[in-house]
Amino acid sequence: MIAVQPARADVIARYECSLAGFFTQEPIGDHPDHNLVAQDYVCVGVEGLLKGAVYSASNVVEWDGPRRRW
């Protein structure tokens, strides 16, 4: 008989993040209202193995008028 036990994992990290500055909007220029929008943010590990770790990153999204593209 084989006993089955669920897998268990510890929390690697839980972060608290905040925006760093303002978002920027850069026109691509191939047609009107086609832009790249960038937002910087900073996160601090508040729980788990990465508690105390600090990292920063950027998120960039393409917008075509009112629609977001992935």
Side-chain angles (χ1 to χ4, degrees):
M1 177 177 225
I2 298 174
V4 178
Q5 295 182 359
R8 181 189 155 120
D10 290 332
V11 173
I12 294 175
R14 185 174 66 83
Y15 296 99
E16 288 186 1
C17 300
S18 60
L19 299 177
F22 300 97
F23 75 91
T24 60
Q25 187 171 347
E26 298 293 330
I28 294 175
D30 59 340
H31 60 273
D33 295 326
H34 193 196
N35 300 298
L36 289 179
V37 177
Q39 176 63 63
D40 297 328
Y41 57 96
V42 176
C43 298
V44 177
V46 294
E47 183 180 331
L49 296 173
L50 298 176
K51 184 176 182 177
V54 177
Y55 76 88
S56 61
S58 295
N59 183 37
V60 179
V61 179
E62 178 184 2
W63 284 87
D64 193 3
R67 296 181 309 181
R68 175 181 62 206
R69 290 185 174 184
W70 295 102

